[in-house]
């Protein structure tokens, strides 16, 4: 998960963790206050009715002793039809009893609600004609009346639903809106990091200019300074590697060349047979040492020098021809039949010319050193749908399939004779990695030998 997504979801989680408990607490408190207010309204209505009865008396109703007066209530349909609005008359009502539990005054919707045997002042709940009722009972011993005022529960549930909408809807709508705004704010806040990424991605290898970010935040400036210092140290290290490679090349090539010249001079003179064998062995050892040093230097150049350069358009056919011209003396002396069999007229690609040259040179040299006198080595290159395919095939002893995965390790020797596969394939692998190429070791089509296939994609 990216830093941007982590920040966005963490902020949203914090908002939910804060706003949701606050919303639930507000809902609970508001609902409690509303219920207390509604209960207070019931009690106040009962006491108001008690005062009116006390002033006028039940006798003012002029009712017979066993009779009661019923106050008509409009139904919900009549409310809408006559008043074009709801008055909620059916959801509230009252009853008035005398001390002999005889109903004297009632609203029509509570006319059949029975009187409890022993009325007690206070609140209680009743289920009556399919509805729950919240009822307040007032026992007036002075006025000798019992007054009951009730309100239907569904009226209170309407208030509860309204509270849910008033408190929940803003959060349901607000949280997604907050998530969008938080995402925008995080993207805007992390824009300096995006500019830093673009500056690093567009930075060319070998560039020693420090990274500059305009209007960088204070928290990011130490990171930019540390990156600049690290890049400077890295460039210094690469420069030291390049100088070291050049110095080693100069210091080792010259004495080796001088020693081999002297050996050639001594070999030209008349020598005893045992001395000639010893000098020949020494000359062969020096030749192997010289090749090993060249491989080490080539590997060092790939590790330090090529990676610091920029890719350029390279014609792979031209590179191959230059490598073949360079190896022409060695090919002539080896007694190996070499052929540049199949290739296009031009194979242009973006890459590191030095790395591609090292790849071809080591593939050909490895093949040459592992085929017998009179053996065959064939190089072919062509373009396919997967990219550019390079193949070097020989009719040498080959490599068993179970050992092919280990030959790319540095200083690995497949056999005790010759140079082995000590560094050549390591250089090939490193050059291939610089171009995102794949390497396959396959059986040669000639019945024996090895076929090395390198596929460079995207070209």
């Amino acid at each position: 998960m990216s830093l941007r997504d982590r920040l966005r979801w963490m902020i949203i989680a914090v908002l939910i963790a804060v706003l949701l408990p606050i919303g639930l607490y507000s809902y609970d408190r508001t609902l409690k206050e509303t219920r207390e207010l509604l209960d207070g309204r019931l009690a106040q209505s009962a006491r108001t009715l008690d005062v009116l009865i006390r002033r006028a008396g039940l006798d003012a109703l002029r009712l017979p002793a066993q009779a009661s007066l019923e106050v008509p209530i409009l139904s919900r349909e009549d409310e809408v039809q006559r008043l074009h609005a709801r008055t909620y008359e059916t959801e509230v009502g009252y009853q008035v009893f005398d001390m002999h539990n005889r109903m004297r005054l009632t609203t029509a919707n509570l006319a059949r609600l029975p009187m409890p045997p022993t009325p007690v002042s206070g609140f209680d709940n009743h289920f009556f004609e399919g509805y729950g009722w919240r009822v307040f009972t007032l026992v007036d011993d002075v006025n000798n009346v019992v007054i009951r005022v009730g309100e239907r529960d569904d009226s209170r549930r309407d208030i509860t639903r309204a509270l849910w909408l008033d408190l929940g809807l803003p959060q349901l709508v607000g949280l997604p809106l907050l998530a969008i705004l938080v995402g925008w704010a995080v993207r805007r806040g992390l824009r300096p990091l995006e500019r830093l990424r673009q500056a690093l991605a567009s930075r060319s290898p070998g560039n020693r200019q420090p990274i500059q970010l305009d209007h960088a935040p204070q928290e990011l400036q130490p990171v930019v300074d540390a990156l600049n210092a690290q890049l400077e140290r890295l460039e210094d290290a690469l420069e030291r590697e390049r100088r070291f490679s050049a110095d080693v090349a100069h210091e080792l090539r010259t004495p080796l060349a001088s020693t081999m010249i002297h050996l050639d001079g001594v070999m030209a003179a008349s020598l005893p047979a045992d001395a000639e064998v010893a000098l020949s062995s020494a000359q062969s050892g020096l030749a192997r040492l010289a090749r090993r040093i060249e491989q080490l230097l080539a590997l060092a150049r790939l590790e330090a020098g090529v990676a610091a350069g920029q890719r350029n358009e390279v014609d792979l056919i031209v590179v191959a021809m230059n490598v073949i011209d360079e190896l022409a003396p060695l090919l002539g002396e080896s007694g190996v039949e070499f052929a540049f069999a199949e290739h296009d007229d031009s194979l242009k690609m973006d890459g590191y010319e030095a790395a591609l040259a090292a790849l071809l040179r080591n593939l050909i040299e490895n093949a040459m050193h592992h085929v017998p006198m009179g053996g065959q080595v064939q190089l072919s290159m062509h373009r396919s749908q997967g990219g550019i395919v390079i193949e070097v095939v020989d009719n040498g002893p080959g490599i068993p399939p179970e050992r092919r995965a280990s030959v790319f390790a540095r200083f690995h020797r497949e056999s005790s004779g010759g140079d082995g596969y000590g560094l050549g394939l390591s250089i090939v692998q490193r050059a291939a990695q610089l171009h995102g190429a794949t390497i396959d070791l396959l059986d040669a089509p000639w019945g024996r030998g090895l076929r090395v296939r390198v596929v460079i994609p995207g070209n």
Side-chain angles (χ1 to χ4, degrees):
M1 183 182 291
S2 66
L3 178 61
R4 179 185 302 169
D5 291 337
R6 291 184 63 184
L7 283 175
R8 180 191 299 120
W9 290 114
M10 286 177 66
I11 293 173
I12 292 173
V14 169
L15 288 174
I16 293 175
V18 173
L19 294 179
L20 190 59
I22 291 176
L24 292 174
Y25 176 76
S26 300
Y27 169 77
D28 183 68
R29 291 290 302 170
T30 305
L31 187 59
K32 182 179 179 181
E33 295 291 336
T34 302
R35 287 173 176 171
E36 291 177 354
L37 178 62
L38 294 174
D39 286 348
R41 187 181 67 175
L42 287 178
Q44 188 181 54
S45 300
R47 295 186 188 282
T48 301
L49 188 58
D50 181 51
V51 170
L52 293 175
I53 293 174
R54 182 181 301 177
R55 290 295 180 93
L58 287 175
D59 296 336
L61 299 176
R62 297 178 182 178
L63 296 173
Q66 302 299 326
S68 64
L69 179 62
E70 184 174 302
V71 179
I73 295 293
L74 288 177
S75 67
R76 181 170 297 183
E77 293 76 11
D78 292 336
E79 287 178 359
V80 176
Q81 184 176 359
R82 296 184 186 181
L83 306 177
H84 306 289
R86 286 186 60 188
T87 62
Y88 298 92
E89 284 190 50
T90 58
E91 298 179 10
V92 293
Y94 60 88
Q95 294 173 319
V96 178
F97 295 86
D98 59 18
M99 295 307 293
H100 299 289
N101 288 342
R102 291 178 301 188
M103 185 181 294
R104 306 307 301 275
L105 181 65
T106 181
T107 55
N109 55 350
L110 290 182
R112 288 177 294 277
L113 179 63
M115 177 72 175
T118 305
V120 179
S121 296
F123 291 94
D124 54 356
N125 298 303
H126 295 271
F127 189 80
F128 172 65
E129 292 187 349
Y131 295 101
W133 288 80
R134 178 72 168 171
V135 177
F136 176 75
T137 302
L138 176 62
V139 179
D140 186 352
D141 295 328
V142 176
N143 205 26
N144 294 324
V145 294
V146 176
I147 300 173
R148 304 172 76 194
V149 181
E151 181 181 26
R152 258 175 31 192
D153 286 343
D154 54 342
S155 176
R156 298 193 173 201
R157 284 197 297 271
D158 290 341
I159 298 175
T160 302
R161 285 193 293 268
L163 286 176
W164 268 115
L165 289 175
D166 290 343
L167 296 176
L169 188 60
Q171 294 202 25
L172 291 176
V173 175
L175 283 176
L177 181 60
L178 278 175
I180 295 173
L181 294 176
V182 164
W184 174 82
V186 168
R187 283 195 302 271
R188 187 172 181 84
L190 294 180
R191 191 173 295 173
L193 281 178
E194 179 64 20
R195 295 205 308 268
L196 177 60
R197 185 197 66 79
Q198 292 174 356
L200 290 173
S202 61
R203 185 181 178 89
S204 59
N207 187 358
R208 302 182 71 94
Q209 293 296 323
I211 297 173
Q212 296 290 341
L213 285 183
D214 297 332
H215 309 294
Q218 293 181 354
E219 295 81 2
L220 190 58
Q221 192 59 48
V223 177
V224 175
D225 295 339
L227 273 175
N228 286 329
Q230 183 65 27
L231 289 172
E232 184 66 24
R233 288 193 293 269
L234 180 60
E235 292 297 334
D236 290 341
L238 290 174
E239 183 62 29
R240 286 194 297 270
E241 287 287 337
R242 287 190 286 269
R243 287 199 300 266
F244 174 77
S245 298
D247 293 343
V248 168
H250 176 73
E251 294 297 328
L252 292 180
R253 283 172 177 167
T254 302
L256 278 175
S258 176
T259 304
M260 293 187 71
I261 290 173
H262 290 306
L263 281 176
D264 288 339
V266 173
M267 291 288 292
S270 298
L271 294 172
D274 54 349
E276 186 173 350
V277 171
L279 287 174
S280 177
S281 177
Q283 188 179 36
S284 177
L286 281 176
R288 289 195 299 270
L289 177 61
R291 181 168 180 268
R292 184 60 53 84
I293 290 174
E294 288 292 337
Q295 288 180 323
L296 286 171
L297 292 176
L299 191 59
R301 283 194 295 270
L302 284 178
E303 297 287 355
V306 174
Q310 287 186 324
R311 289 193 178 204
N312 298 307
E313 186 178 70
V314 179
D315 191 338
L316 204 54
I317 299 299
V318 175
V319 174
M321 296 304 296
N322 292 335
V323 170
I324 294 171
D325 290 341
E326 179 185 344
L327 297 177
L330 181 61
L331 292 170
E333 296 174 359
S334 64
V336 174
E337 181 182 342
F338 177 80
F340 193 1
E342 177 188 350
H343 61 83
D344 299 337
D345 294 335
S346 177
L347 284 176
K348 292 185 178 181
M349 58 170 287
D350 290 333
Y352 303 105
E353 184 175 355
L356 293 170
L359 182 146
L360 291 171
R361 183 184 306 108
N362 281 275
L363 283 178
I364 296 173
E365 285 184 343
N366 276 326
M368 288 171 49
H369 283 83
H370 291 85
V371 295
M373 182 71 68
Q376 295 179 351
V377 176
Q378 179 177 292
L379 170 66
S380 64
M381 292 187 295
H382 63 276
R383 192 183 301 273
S384 69
Q385 292 182 350
I388 294 178
V389 179
I390 303 172
E391 286 191 346
V392 175
V393 185
D394 65 67
N395 62 346
I399 302 175
E402 65 274 9
R403 298 180 184 176
R404 289 174 183 174
S406 62
V407 297
F408 293 102
R410 293 182 183 180
F411 304 107
H412 174 84
R413 292 171 63 88
E414 182 61 27
S415 62
S416 59
D419 287 338
Y421 288 82
L423 284 169
L425 286 180
S426 295
I427 296 173
V428 171
Q429 184 184 48
R430 179 58 182 145
Q433 289 173 350
L434 289 173
H435 296 85
T438 59
I439 307 175
D440 295 313
L441 303 182
L442 309 170
D443 294 328
W446 301 329
R448 59 170 295 175
L450 182 69
R451 177 171 59 174
V452 182
R453 174 184 292 172
V454 180
V455 180
I456 305 175
N459 290 279

